[in-house]
Amino acid sequence: MRSYGQCCALAKALDAIGDRWTLLIVRELMIREACRYTDLKNGLPGIATNLLAERLNEMEQSGLVTREAAPPPVATTLFRLTARGRELEPAIAALGRWGAPLMGNPQTTGDEFRDHWVALPLRLYVRDRRPKDAPVRLAIRAGEESLTLETAGDGSVRVQPGTSERPAASIQGPPHTILALLTGKVSLASARAKGVRFEGETKTLERFGGPE
Amino acid sequence: MRSYGQCCALAKALDAIGDRWTLLIVRELMIREACRYTDLKNGLPGIATNLLAERLNEMEQSGLVTREAAPPPVATTLFRLTARGRELEPAIAALGRWGAPLMGNPQTTGDEFRDHWVALPLRLYVRDRRPKDAPVRLAIRAGEESLTLETAGDGSVRVQPGTSERPAASIQGPPHTILALLTGKVSLASARAKGVRFEGETKTLERFGGPE
DNA sequence: CGGCATCCACAGTGATACTG
DNA sequence: CAGTATCACTGTGGATGCCG
């Protein structure tokens, strides 16, 4: 994109990440840590393959992304965010908070949905209300996506792709109902009515909540 | 712009404000409160007039901006942010923080600069370290722009365009040196060496600082 | 002068096809 | 799998014109 050519921090940020698709690529890499080209393409429905390639090159140039050749078992290139790229998290959180009211039901809007997208709001909005208690691990199966949520000890939670070993509890169901349950927007009873299956100590659930 | 068509809060936010120039228009309105078309055009060097008109229409449609006919002394349309538009402040702050390291010296980069732009970082980054003390008003003349900075009582500061009545102190000089002085990045002595003139109680200055 | 609308050259985008 | 190539289309920037 053309630079705005303005000596302003916001304009400079937009010069770097204001291009179409760029912030969504950051979103994918923030969720998945290391991605193959094809993972990115699947996680970004609607992107043209030439644009994805072009953006990845630009983002590598500007120090947001690194490209590494994975050893034989994988034998492909992996894309990762750099530290500088991960520093976009507060901006993405703020934009996501602002954009949340604009989301409609994907059934009626026809919007694309990917189960793994729920990892981002989980990471950004779910708080550990008792950070000093013993750490807890939660197994989540949101749609077809398996995630592990664990308390980080500072009030935040870590969300990793994959299944967990010996979780304190497990939740399975539609992604956005799981999110609503863990941020305290719906009760366990009404989440169950919407298809959520919860196994384990109920009071594990009380440990989690939304912001503030 | 085309919608991403994704059921994701970030994608929805970008659908609304991801267009080129849109966030910079929000920046202008956040600094100036009420703007004429021409004020916006002057504050956004490089924008084509048709694009400014088009963006303002889109932003009015999507509820970010209102247009009001000012009464006879002014006799022109004024553009303002709606409450929803002002809610973008955290996102703009986060992006600005991220973009700040990318700013170079406008002398060498050839970037455009407007004195009033400094009001945004002043408002976002300058903190009142003793919110419980009596409120204080500071007269600032950054380049050719007159601003009033006053403590809000909650640790933040308000920054308004225009001159102040009976300020506790006054600062005059190059915009970014004034910003560096008020966020505590440079001492009064070295700010003076860079062309800042400060009048009033020196300890007024100690009341202010950057984030954290 | 303030607030656009119109026109044009060109850069960015999206769909598809093709390749090592 | 990880792209590159092609091409129609849309968005952008610059200039200019119009109207109260």
Side-chain angles (χ1 to χ4, degrees), chain B residues 40-111:
Chain B
L40 288 170
K41 193 152 167 39
N42 290 334
L44 295 162
I47 197 172
T49 176
N50 57 348
L51 267 195
L52 177 54
E54 193 175 321
R55 291 287 178 270
L56 285 170
N57 281 321
E58 294 163 356
M59 293 166 78
E60 197 182 0
Q61 289 290 318
S62 61
L64 293 178
V65 158
T66 55
R67 183 187 304 249
E68 66 189 56
V74 188
T76 180
T77 24
L78 289 179
F79 297 90
R80 278 179 201 279
L81 283 185
T82 61
R84 175 70 179 155
R86 282 191 299 272
E87 284 172 16
L88 280 165
E89 187 170 309
I92 287 184
L95 283 168
R97 251 178 250 269
W98 189 84
L102 302 173
M103 276 196 299
N105 186 323
Q107 310 273 314
T108 62
T109 59
D111 286 346

Side-chain angles (χ1 to χ4, degrees), chain A residues 23 27 107:
Chain A
L23 268 191
R27 174 196 72 190
Q107 310 273 313

